[in-house]
Structures are given as C-alpha cells and as structure tokens.
Amino acid sequence: GAVVSQHPSWVICKSGTSVKIECRSLDFQATTMFWYRQFPKQSLMLMATSNEGSKATYEQGVEKDKFLINHASLTLSTLTVTSAHPEDSSFYICSASPSWDSTYEQYFGPGTRLTVT
Amino acid sequence: DAKTTQPTSMDCAEGRAANLPCNHSTISGNEYVYWYRQIHSQGPQYIIHGLKNNETNEMASLIITEDRKSSTLILPHATLRDTAVYYCIVRANTGFQKLVFGTGTRLLVSP
C-alpha cells in the first residue's frame, strides 16, 4: 500500500512553453502533498506544500506564479511549470501523506525529469 | 537548513554491515529521527524512524544514543542494491511537517 505515482516520468519541452506534472496517491487519500526539486548531484529541495482544497504554501525563493500547484482532490496534485526555461530543467518529485496515518509519514513518487531545450 | 550532519560518502563490501552515522545535536524532544534513501534517479524510499528507542525492521536497524544527539543506521548485510544516498532527517510528528533533506551520505557497496 501507500503508492504514489507521477506522470509523466520524463518530459522534454521547448523554452517558453508550460508543462504539467501530475502526482497521484493510488491507494490512499492524501490531504497534504509536497513538491520537491532536485538538481544534478544535489539534495532534494522542498518547493511547496499542497493542501487539498486550499492554496499551496511555497518555500522562500520559489515563484508561485511560475510553479502553479493545484490540489483539487484527495488523490491528485498537479505542478505546472509555466514559461519554462532551461534553468528549470530538473528532477521534480512529489510526496504524499495519508490522511489516516497519525505518524504523518510521507511516501514519495518516482519523480519526473524535466528537460527544457 | 538541515539539522543533521552526515559523512559525504562511505564504502562497504557486499555482505558486510554498513553503519551510517548521523549527528543531530540540536534535536528537540518531540522530534523523531527518520532515514530515507534515494537510489539514482528515483524518488526517496522510507527506511526507518525512531524517537529514542532502538528500532529494527526488515530493512535496517536504527540505534539512537541515550542523549539523542546522534544515531546510526545499520544495514546488516549490505548488497549491491543498497548503493544509494542515505538521508538522516529530524522531524516532529505533529501534523504534516515538511522533510528537510541535507546532503546525505553516498553509500557505495562493492563486490
């Protein structure tokens, strides 16, 4: 149980276009999901906390108008990278916490590799 | 900023125990110690967590010092598939707290 999926697993897009990444909790409901970004040979950096039915909370330095997060249901959160540029190329990872889990454990998706040309 | 300190890298021979240390000298009373690992180009995988008692599961053992200022993750019989970056994270279990990843320890298991 507690499986999180991401789609797509990898995507290549042209500079200036927008890309949407989906994060789904397959066998549980998740009130809260998290979005991370990881550049090559670096650690994961939290971008934002996504709460179902409310606005996301962004970490300092993350542009909320560029990285649009929507958490419209208890099993789906989306991250849209708007007007992507080559410096947005990165590995994007989501995690989700089951609503029923009192330890608030986070389960991670497999990640989405974005390349902007 | 991450509240833990880990060695940058470690080597281990296949079949031997891998002991990964972590310092968390500023840990608060309500914070747990979590361990995750990340195999190349994959999402992090939960390993184990504990508060103050030693913990063991099918993947690993977690030894926390009595003063809780440091801990050691033990992989009893390392395999080549255990090659990964291991992250030690401290986090309270009150509400949906975010995980702050440090630089982790890159463990290389060799034949």
Side-chain angles (χ1 to χ4, degrees), chain A residues 38 43 59 103-106, chain B residues 34 36 38 91 98 102:
Chain A
Q38 185 175 34
S43 187
E59 295 298 300
T103 66
Y104 305 100
E105 188 50 67
Q106 289 187 32
Chain B
Y34 280 79
Y36 286 82
Q38 186 180 25
R91 191 198 75 168
K98 61 185 179 183

Side-chain angles (χ1 to χ4, degrees), chain B residues 2 11 16 20 34 56 62 67 79 82-83 99 101 106-107:
Chain B
D11 293 326
R16 304 297 293 270
L20 291 85
Y34 280 79
T56 296
L62 173 61
D67 63 7
T79 70
D82 291 323
T83 292
L99 292 171
F101 287 80
R106 187 172 299 275
L107 175 68

Side-chain angles (χ1 to χ4, degrees), chain A residues 17-30:
Chain A
T17 63
S18 295
V19 175
K20 180 184 286 187
I21 302 170
E22 293 184 349
C23 176
R24 293 183 184 273
S25 55
L26 297 185
D27 51 2
F28 65 95
Q29 293 184 333

